[in-house]
């Protein structure tokens, strides 16, 4: 059976879905991925502030399931993913099991997984319409894309909520999902990192993690780049505050916690993530509507982790591939 599938979102879940389809379904199935950003990888993100680079989304990830471990194995073998053994401090440890990072940057995993796929970047899908059983997607510039047999919405839950039609069967599960914001401070220092820790887990209510980005495998070690994530609750309480004021507050706390001298900072920037973490998940691998041929996937289906995004996207993609791999006799 042939078909054309659109995936909205080229974060890990959208890319895992695309890979699951292209690995399993016949050549006749075409996949097109849309992303509003310039690149791929979504919240597995890297900010460039020459000469510094900051992984300002996910810091590292863990692999607890056999499926994700198997997917990572060839990437570890090729060096696209590397184990990270940070020296931790304050109230360590937080995550159990080995920690992994994409190398040489967190966004390089998205690039690697996107290789060979049909990806349309800088294209924000704003609405979708089904005509004669086929989906048409309209982007922010008014261009209509299509026609698609299936659409997989691989964007954060509030953005999926805005895109999916009111009649989407699993909408009640989507409505349960709650995502939380995080402020991220990025600090650049001259010279190599000389501290005796690579990750600090502060205990106060403002900062969640302080990570020496430049200590990760494959990074430029001649400079020091530090990423600080604020706690979700603290961010939520200050979400509309003036960003430079938030950055200064985070730097003051960083000085207190780390003992570092803020006068040595050569570069500073802040980013606000509105959908950084998941406090209420949908509770199943992916959401779907078999009548409308619509799926939704993302970390928010399970939990706010890289591995959960992969599990969700991979499951949604395998489900769609199964549709195209069906033999006529399967329906008999
Ligand atoms: C600050 C922060 C810290 C984190 N720390 C960790 C950590 O230490 N460990 C860990 O395991 N996980 C961590 N995470 C979570 C992890 O990054 C996510 O679970 C995972 O990357 C989510 O992947 P996704 O594909 O579900 O969503 P995303 O990565 O958000 O991908 C969605 C994509 O959809 C695109 N998009 C959205 N709307 C549209 C639209 N209308 N049209 C076109 N494109 C659209 C976006 O540009 C994005 O590329 C962190 C996340 C953040 C933000």
């Amino acid at each position: 059976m042939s078909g054309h599938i659109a995936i909205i979102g080229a974060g890990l879940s959208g890319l895992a879905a695309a890979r699951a389809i292209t690995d399993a379904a016949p050549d006749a199935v075409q996949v097109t991925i849309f992303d509003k950003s310039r690149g791929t990888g979504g919240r597995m993100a890297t900010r460039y502030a020459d000469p510094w680079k900051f992984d300002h989304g996910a810091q590292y990830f863990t692999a607890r399931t056999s499926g994700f471990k198997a997917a990572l194995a060839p990437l570890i073998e090729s060096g696209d993913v590397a184990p990270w053994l940070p020296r931790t401090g304050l109230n360590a440890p937080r995550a159990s099991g080995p920690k992994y990072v994409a190398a040489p940057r967190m966004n390089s995993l998205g690039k690697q997984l996107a290789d060979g796929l049909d990806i349309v970047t800088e294209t924000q899908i704003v609405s979708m319409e089904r005509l004669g059983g086929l989906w048409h997607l309209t982007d922010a510039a008014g261009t209509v894309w299509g026609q698609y047999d299936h659409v997989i919405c691989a964007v954060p839950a509030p953005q999926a909520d805005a895109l999916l039609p009111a009649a989407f069967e699993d909408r009640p599960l989507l409505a349960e999902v709650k995502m939380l914001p995080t402020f991220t401070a990025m600090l650049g220092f001259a010279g190599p990192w000389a501290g005796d820790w690579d990750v600090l887990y502060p205990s106060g209510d403002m900062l969640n993690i302080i990570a020496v980005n430049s200590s990760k495998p494959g990074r430029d070690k001649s400079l020091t780049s530090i990423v600080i994530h604020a706690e979700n609750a603290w961010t939520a309480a200050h979400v509309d505050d003036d960003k430079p004021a938030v950055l200064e507050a985070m730097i003051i706390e960083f000085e207190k916690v780390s003992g570092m001298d803020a006068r040595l900072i050569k570069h500073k920037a802040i980013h606000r993530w509105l959908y950084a973490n998941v406090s209420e998940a949908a509770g199943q691998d992916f959401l779907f509507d078999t009548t409308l041929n619509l799926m939704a996937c993302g970390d928010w289906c399970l939990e706010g982790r890289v591995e959960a995004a992969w599990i969700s996207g991979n499951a949604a993609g395998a489900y769609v591939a199964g549709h195209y791999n069906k033999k006529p006799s399967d329906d008999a």
Side-chain angles (χ1 to χ4, degrees), residues 8-14 34-37 41-44 56-62 123-125 154-156 159 163 182 184 229 273 275-276 298-299 303-307 309:
I8 308 172
L12 191 64
S13 65
F34 296 91
D35 203 290
K36 63 181 182 181
S37 307
R43 282 172 276 156
M44 294 187 76
H56 65 309
Q59 287 311 295
Y60 56 79
F61 50 92
T62 50
T123 302
Q124 181 180 7
I125 302 301
V155 302
Q159 294 167 333
L163 276 174
T182 293
T184 298
H229 289 324
W273 295 97
Y275 311 122
D299 60 347
E303 59 177 317
R305 293 172 51 232
V306 165
E307 181 172 21

Side-chain angles (χ1 to χ4, degrees), residues 266-308:
K266 301 282 182 217
H267 167 85
K268 55 185 174 182
I270 185 162
H271 181 81
R272 184 186 67 172
W273 295 97
L274 285 179
Y275 311 122
N277 206 348
V278 179
S279 59
E280 300 281 342
Q284 65 186 40
D285 284 359
F286 61 97
L287 308 190
F288 60 99
D289 186 319
T290 44
T291 312
L292 293 177
N293 284 352
L294 276 183
M295 322 284 140
C297 62
D299 60 347
W300 51 270
C301 287
L302 298 166
E303 59 177 317
R305 293 172 51 232
V306 165
E307 181 172 21

Side-chain angles (χ1 to χ4, degrees), residues 248-260:
E248 290 315 313
M250 287 177 72
I251 289 173
I252 290 169
E253 187 67 10
F254 159 76
E255 261 195 309
K256 233 190 282 174
V257 170
S258 69
M260 288 183 70

